[in-house]
Amino acid sequence: MILPCFKLLAEPVDENARTMKPFQWAASEVGKRSKIGGIPFGIKEEDYPVCPCCKKRMTFYGQLDSLNDDYIIADCGLIATFICFDCNEVKAEIGYMLMKKKAHEH
């Protein structure tokens, strides 16, 4: 199942967020890839986690991107979240690390 896709826009709500420095070293799209639904960045469906209860492949729910060079996730990675709607189990993976792990398995 693929959920409808919604882009998440980071809106600063406090002074610390408003004064954060932007990325200096990352590609221009890094920091702007947060979303709910759709297809995750760089993770194939066959690599989605399996529910520990029912053993079915979980549904991609959303991803959170790195914030800036000080708060970067695994070298420009993302946190990808998955859910089993039948069992209400959830799993979070660092997207970049999952891609790297799968590349080493082949």
Side-chain angles (χ1 to χ4, degrees):
M1 165 188 347
I2 297 175
L3 301 178
C5 189
F6 296 88
K7 184 175 179 100
L8 298 177
L9 303 175
E11 183 178 324
V13 295
D14 63 22
E15 192 60 26
N16 288 334
R18 282 189 283 278
T19 59
M20 280 180 61
K21 293 178 184 175
F23 283 103
Q24 291 182 333
W25 313 111
S28 61
E29 72 273 5
V30 176
K32 301 172 186 159
R33 301 172 294 178
S34 296
K35 65 180 180 175
I36 294 175
I39 298 169
F41 175 80
I43 303 173
K44 297 177 185 170
E45 189 172 358
E46 61 263 20
D47 295 332
Y48 290 10
V50 172
C51 176
C53 296
C54 68
K55 307 301 182 209
K56 294 180 187 172
R57 187 133 345 255
M58 298 175 90
T59 299
F60 170 70
Y61 193 82
Q63 67 189 27
L64 298 173
D65 206 348
S66 298
L67 295 174
N68 71 0
D69 293 322
D70 294 327
Y71 301 103
I72 197 154
I73 301 166
D75 192 25
C76 299
L78 315 139
I79 298 172
T81 58
F82 300 86
I83 185 168
C84 175
F85 285 103
D86 294 330
C87 305
N88 292 319
E89 291 289 327
V90 294
K91 174 93 172 150
E93 299 267 0
I94 295 179
Y96 175 80
M97 298 306 285
L98 185 61
M99 290 185 303
K100 218 172 165 180
K101 181 172 67 176
K102 295 296 177 184
H104 288 301
E105 291 175 0
H106 299 303

